[in-house]
Amino acid sequence: MHPGRILIADDNKSVLTSLELLLEGEFERVETISDPNKIITVLDKHSIDLVILDMNFSVGVNTGNEGLFWLQRIHETVPELPVIMLTAYGDIDLAVKSLKNGAADFVLKPWDNEQLINKIHTTLQESRLKSPTKSVRSAHGPAMIIGRSPAMMKLIKTVTKVAKTDANILVYGENGTGKEMLAREIHRLSLRSPHEMYQIDMGAISESLFESELFGHEKGAFTDAHEKRVGKFEAANGSTLFLDEIGNLSLGLQAKLLVALQNREIMRLGSNKKIPINIRLIAATNRNLQEMVRQSQFREDLFYRINTIQIEIPPLRHRKEDIALFANHFLKKYADLYKRPGLTLHPQALQKLESHPWPGNIRELQYAIEKAVILTEKSVIRASELSLHVGRTHSFDKVTNLEEVERQAILAAISQNEGNLTATAEQLGVSRQTLYNKIKRFNL
């Protein structure tokens, strides 16, 4: 048996079985998957030396674009990992295109067994000569789970194009859609990924602490400045700075932020020394900044400064195909956390999740799965054990504590105001700062 750990990705189960039988006696390990969305997870968990990748995964599609997309994702995760493309369509142009995109080789279905094995041996040998001590894990860390729906696949393609540039990016999306997660994926794929990404929740920061938090301060700069502090701009030098909920900044703070971005330098409070900064900025908001510009609530010059590339994350209710992916991810996460091995979702429970409107988006789904994992006493979570918020018609009869009532009231208000937190705070009769604190407290 020859050394080599092979991953085969093909939606045809008979192809997977045939290749596994052919290769398992030839190489030390063979992994097979029919869902390409699991490729990155396998690469993160297992040491793989070569991937055999199908060019087409959707029925009736033979363009090869899916295979080229996943080829790119593989090389973003493990840059030197060799990939042999597999297709039933003998299109020489497609073969050339895959090779130009970094594939090590190309094999047509039906394949010749001996020829395929020889190609694998040759490719593995060439790979070892190039990188004799290479690690198959990406130096940039594991890929984020974003989704498999058509909308998210299109979004991921945009992300992979812009990530390696230094262009400022503005991410739109309702609360809980995964704006921070997307920002981290952009950073992971960027040339700045060896450094830690820094983030600030602009909605939760008070005006009095804004400059200290972003720009830092010297000892004695103000009453409570007992020691020098480095601000987020300075800490993120050479890396990525993520400013969440940027639409909640006052006009005065917007002006201070704009000056730092324009001059690419900051000064700590209590100091006259200018400090150059080199950051890649990603901002996020759930508000319509263009409308705010028209209403003179957001500076137009700052808007264009942060909006070189605009990415919008659709709400979970508009990408039902992603619900099962996230549900199973959170199920595994909390089953491991709460020591519930083997816990699964009943098909009817999954149907219930997929039919829910999810006003709180991915965060709400995460909470629902965690709660079910904690409360279920059997090995299968059934539909009746999923406690889901259903808007204005929801009954609180079975709620046993005030915190849960408050949490559900906040979720309902956010949904009714389509994610606008200022309007939500007004409806609930609390300040915006109080609402942010409660959102963080309840992990909404």
Side-chain angles (χ1 to χ4, degrees):
M1 185 175 294
H2 298 276
R5 291 150 295 190
I6 314 297
L7 171 64
I8 308 166
D10 194 301
D11 62 324
N12 189 318
K13 296 292 180 66
S14 63
V15 168
L16 291 179
T17 301
S18 299
L19 286 175
E20 186 175 17
L21 290 172
L22 172 65
L23 301 179
E24 65 181 357
E26 188 76 20
F27 300 98
E28 62 181 281
R29 182 172 182 173
V30 178
E31 299 276 348
T32 63
I33 52 173
S34 58
D35 182 356
N37 291 281
K38 295 179 180 178
I39 290 174
I40 305 303
T41 302
V42 173
L43 295 181
D44 181 51
K45 289 183 177 180
H46 302 289
S47 179
I48 300 296
D49 298 312
L50 180 141
V51 177
I52 298 176
L53 177 66
D54 192 19
M55 290 294 291
N56 301 291
F57 287 90
S58 299
V59 176
V61 176
N62 61 4
T63 62
N65 288 335
E66 290 174 298
L68 293 174
F69 171 76
W70 287 109
L71 172 64
Q72 183 178 5
R73 290 287 283 166
I74 289 169
H75 283 157
E76 286 162 357
T77 305
V78 189
E80 300 301 323
L81 184 62
V83 179
I84 295 177
M85 308 303 292
L86 189 65
T87 183
Y89 303 94
D91 188 332
I92 189 63
D93 292 333
L94 188 57
V96 171
K97 191 173 182 180
S98 69
L99 294 173
K100 285 183 176 179
N101 280 269
D105 212 328
F106 192 92
V107 175
L108 297 178
K109 301 175 185 175
W111 60 86
D112 177 274
N113 288 347
E114 185 177 352
Q115 183 186 52
L116 175 58
I117 291 173
N118 286 337
K119 280 180 180 281
I120 294 172
H121 281 304
T122 301
T123 303
L124 285 173
Q125 185 177 10
E126 290 175 350
S127 176
R128 293 186 189 108
L129 288 173
K130 288 179 182 178
S131 307
T133 59
K134 74 177 180 73
S135 168
V136 296
R137 287 184 180 269
S138 169
H140 308 302
M144 304 288 168
I145 294 179
I146 296 177
R148 67 178 65 166
S149 61
M152 296 310 291
M153 295 294 282
K154 183 178 179 181
L155 183 148
I156 292 170
K157 289 181 181 179
T158 300
V159 165
T160 55
K161 287 181 181 179
V162 304
K164 288 183 170 57
T165 72
D166 270 341
N168 292 335
I169 295 176
L170 179 60
V171 181
Y172 280 100
E174 294 179 6
N175 283 318
T177 50
K179 296 189 290 294
E180 179 190 341
M181 179 172 58
L182 185 65
R184 292 195 175 279
E185 179 70 350
I186 294 169
H187 174 70
R188 187 190 72 84
L189 296 174
S190 76
L191 300 177
R192 297 171 179 261
S193 61
H195 306 284
E196 178 185 356
M197 184 185 88
Y198 287 81
Q199 69 179 86
I200 307 175
D201 184 343
M202 307 304 280
I205 187 173
S206 66
E207 295 212 13
S208 61
L209 293 177
F210 175 87
E211 288 186 89
S212 174
E213 186 71 23
L214 266 70
F215 310 139
H217 62 251
E218 297 290 343
K219 182 179 180 180
F222 49 88
T223 304
D224 294 325
H226 301 302
E227 58 184 23
K228 180 177 73 175
R229 178 179 181 180
V230 173
K232 289 294 196 297
F233 265 95
E234 192 175 348
N237 194 44
S239 186
T240 302
L241 181 62
F242 174 52
L243 302 182
D244 199 8
E245 300 302 346
I246 197 169
N248 294 295
L249 280 182
S250 68
L251 288 170
L253 298 185
Q254 290 174 32
K256 293 178 180 179
L257 175 60
L258 177 64
V259 170
L261 294 174
Q262 283 179 333
N263 298 337
R264 302 188 71 81
E265 61 184 21
I266 53 99
M267 282 194 298
R268 295 178 189 161
L269 286 176
S271 171
N272 293 321
K273 180 183 177 182
K274 294 180 179 179
I275 302 172
I277 54 169
N278 172 20
I279 64 160
R280 198 276 181 81
L281 182 71
I282 302 176
T285 184
N286 65 341
R287 306 182 68 181
N288 186 333
L289 293 190
Q290 286 182 302
E291 181 61 30
M292 291 179 68
V293 168
R294 284 192 287 270
Q295 296 179 7
S296 299
Q297 297 175 344
F298 199 88
R299 293 182 63 108
E300 186 175 24
D301 45 7
L302 178 59
F303 174 72
Y304 288 117
R305 174 70 60 173
I306 65 176
N307 192 37
T308 306
I309 301 292
Q310 181 175 309
I311 297 175
E312 184 168 1
I313 306 179
L316 193 57
R317 62 184 173 274
H318 292 164
R319 46 186 175 117
K320 298 285 188 180
E321 303 96 327
D322 295 335
I323 291 174
L325 180 68
F326 282 105
N328 287 314
H329 169 71
F330 293 134
L331 178 63
K332 183 181 185 308
K333 174 182 177 179
Y334 291 115
D336 291 344
L337 179 63
Y338 297 115
K339 313 299 181 188
R340 299 294 307 277
L343 195 60
T344 60
L345 276 171
H346 191 277
Q348 289 181 350
L350 187 56
Q351 290 175 7
K352 183 176 180 179
L353 293 175
E354 291 177 334
S355 63
H356 186 66
W358 299 112
N361 290 294
I362 296 170
R363 283 186 193 151
E364 185 186 356
L365 174 60
Q366 180 176 0
Y367 173 81
I369 296 295
E370 181 181 16
K371 185 175 181 180
V373 169
I374 293 172
L375 296 180
T376 188
E377 297 178 353
K378 298 178 181 179
S379 61
V380 178
I381 297 175
R382 298 189 174 275
S384 59
E385 296 172 301
L386 290 169
S387 177
L388 305 181
H389 166 72
V390 291
R392 299 181 185 183
T393 60
H394 186 74
S395 171
F396 294 113
D397 292 344
K398 295 183 180 180
V399 175
T400 57
N401 63 77
L402 289 174
E403 283 195 354
E404 179 63 11
V405 173
E406 187 177 18
R407 178 187 176 281
Q408 294 184 9
I410 292 171
L411 273 176
I414 290 173
S415 175
Q416 290 163 22
N417 289 284
E418 298 182 340
N420 186 320
L421 296 191
T422 299
T424 299
E426 291 175 358
Q427 178 179 330
L428 293 172
V430 298
S431 68
R432 193 173 63 192
Q433 185 63 49
T434 298
L435 177 60
Y436 279 116
N437 292 339
K438 290 182 181 296
I439 287 173
K440 284 184 174 292
R441 177 184 175 188
F442 294 130
N443 193 30
L444 297 179

